[in-house]
Amino acid sequence: MRYSARTIVYFITWGILYGTILGGISGTLIFPMFGTMYSVPWGLGMGAALGVATGFLAVIANALHFKPDMDVAVYRRNLAAGIGSFTSVGAALLLIATTNGFLWGFSGGLEIWLVFSLIAAVFWGGLSSAFAASRFVDWYTALMTKRKNDEMPENDLNEIEQRGGGVWSYLKRVLRHWWVPFLGAVLASFVHALNNRYWLFSPGRESETLFTLASGVIGGFIYSGVLMLGLGFHTGFLLNVLNRLLYREYFPTLSFQNYRRSLTVIAALFTMTTGVMVTAGIGAIPAGAIAGWCAWRFADWYAAEPEKDKRKSHESATRLAETTPDGMTDDLDEYIQAVERSKI
């Protein structure tokens, strides 16, 4: 009974956390400011409700299927897929049921905001709950059997375990592009001045001109900075989820080179798609390019060993490369270079 209560509390906690954060970011990207005010409480409430439901589902699944000697990897995949699918459907139904007269039903037609909100709820509801379920199985297995998480079979990514701090690692790489908020400030000031060009720089309006330009600079800087944080966290969390749910579970034999390429493309396309509204369209391509570059470097970090093991890993990989036929050294070279790049 004690473990069942802890299981339910686990899913409620992560449901509230993911629902609030991801709901708030999604609402902001769909409709800045106004969307944020409504999506945060909605995300919190839906996350809590679905957390209760998925917690009970996990308790039932554990009672029926969990055994100390079972294949943990298979159980983890099945539970993540089941809870993720349930939450996707539940999030869509809850959103429709709680937004009658707000997102739909008051104008006689289908509101575009409902479509965007449903896509976000289904997408993030399913992924975040599957991610929480996957982590839960590792935690629950260690708790019940007092053993470490199962290891992946040997392959090109065999020593790449699920590393902590993935979202923060990606976000750090995004924030290194510190020039983006300054560029946004300059552009905002220019656009602000252009919209008021009929009276700016007129005699006797010097103070108003200065205030207009300054407000454009400050507003543009704040907006660009918040946008970097929101899109960075948004994409970083997606990559972190994919590392666990997709690459670790279903593509463990994927070469490092293909892993990095696929991660880069996903990050670029996802950022471009979700950032169209908040970047006024014209900034989506540059944002996608920055996201792709950050994902490329993030892949280097994720594939590299922790700092204390990097030198040992480099030496081992080098010795292995010396004894490996020439046709098989490409991925080893890529991996060694990734270890070196991850130090930057």
Side-chain angles (χ1 to χ4, degrees):
M1 186 66 183
R2 178 166 60 94
Y3 292 140
S4 298
R6 292 178 67 178
T7 297
I8 296 172
V9 170
Y10 174 93
F11 280 95
I12 293 175
T13 301
W14 287 108
I16 292 175
L17 183 65
Y18 290 148
T20 303
I21 296 176
L22 296 173
I25 293 177
S26 297
T28 301
L29 295 176
I30 294 172
F31 199 111
M33 296 301 294
F34 185 76
T36 309
M37 292 187 296
Y38 286 94
S39 61
V40 169
W42 245 290
L44 189 155
M46 290 171 60
L50 291 170
V52 173
T54 53
F56 278 103
L57 284 179
V59 169
I60 295 172
N62 286 338
L64 295 177
H65 302 292
F66 185 87
K67 298 178 182 178
D69 58 345
M70 68 180 182
D71 189 332
V72 177
V74 173
Y75 182 68
R76 184 174 59 223
R77 293 189 200 113
N78 291 339
L79 188 67
I83 285 184
S85 300
F86 171 83
T87 307
S88 291
V89 176
L93 294 177
L94 270 179
L95 184 67
I96 293 174
T98 58
T99 57
N100 185 16
F102 178 67
L103 289 180
W104 66 280
F106 62 91
S107 61
L110 182 64
E111 296 294 328
I112 189 63
W113 308 119
L114 176 62
V115 176
F116 290 151
S117 299
L118 278 174
I119 292 173
V122 170
F123 180 80
W124 279 126
L127 277 184
S128 62
S129 61
F131 182 70
S134 178
R135 295 179 61 192
F136 164 77
V137 173
D138 288 346
W139 168 77
Y140 191 76
T141 301
L143 184 68
M144 299 298 291
T145 65
K146 306 300 182 183
R147 68 183 183 183
K148 294 182 179 179
N149 299 338
D150 57 304
E151 297 179 354
M152 292 186 294
E154 290 191 5
N155 47 67
D156 290 325
L157 295 177
N158 64 319
E159 295 182 355
I160 304 175
E161 299 178 356
Q162 182 70 17
R163 298 188 61 180
V167 178
W168 171 239
S169 177
Y170 177 82
L171 193 57
K172 282 196 303 184
R173 284 155 177 78
V174 172
L175 295 179
R176 287 174 184 172
H177 296 78
W178 51 267
W179 49 269
V180 172
F182 290 97
L183 179 61
V186 173
L187 291 176
S189 180
F190 175 76
V191 172
H192 201 34
L194 190 63
N195 289 335
N196 297 279
R197 64 185 181 275
Y198 296 108
W199 60 267
L200 281 179
F201 308 110
S202 301
R205 291 181 175 268
E206 289 77 8
S207 60
E208 296 180 16
T209 298
L210 182 61
F211 176 79
T212 300
L213 296 176
S215 62
V217 169
I218 296 173
F221 183 84
I222 295 175
Y223 185 83
S224 300
V226 172
L227 184 60
M228 280 186 67
L229 289 173
L231 283 176
F233 182 89
H234 205 229
T235 303
F237 185 75
L238 175 67
L239 300 185
N240 200 44
V241 168
L242 293 180
N243 276 332
R244 170 174 278 269
L245 296 182
L246 183 65
Y247 294 107
R248 179 194 185 195
E249 297 288 10
Y250 297 101
F251 297 100
T253 59
L254 187 68
S255 68
F256 167 71
Q257 195 174 35
N258 289 331
Y259 162 75
R260 185 173 58 184
R261 288 171 179 167
S262 61
L263 212 66
T264 300
V265 172
I266 290 171
L269 293 179
F270 182 74
T271 302
M272 288 174 60
T273 303
T274 57
V276 168
M277 184 70 68
V278 290
T279 60
I282 58 174
I285 294 179
I290 293 174
W293 170 247
C294 293
W296 182 276
R297 302 304 299 271
F298 170 80
D300 293 340
W301 168 84
Y302 189 78
E305 311 298 331
E307 188 66 35
K308 63 180 180 181
D309 296 328
K310 284 180 181 178
R311 180 175 299 178
K312 180 179 178 181
S313 174
H314 183 278
E315 293 173 353
S316 299
T318 303
R319 286 195 300 270
L320 182 59
E322 292 173 352
T323 60
T324 302
D326 293 339
M328 299 176 62
T329 59
D330 290 343
D331 281 337
L332 287 172
D333 292 339
E334 287 287 336
Y335 180 76
I336 293 171
Q337 294 172 14
V339 172
E340 294 300 325
R341 284 193 297 269
S342 67
K343 298 177 182 178
I344 302 175

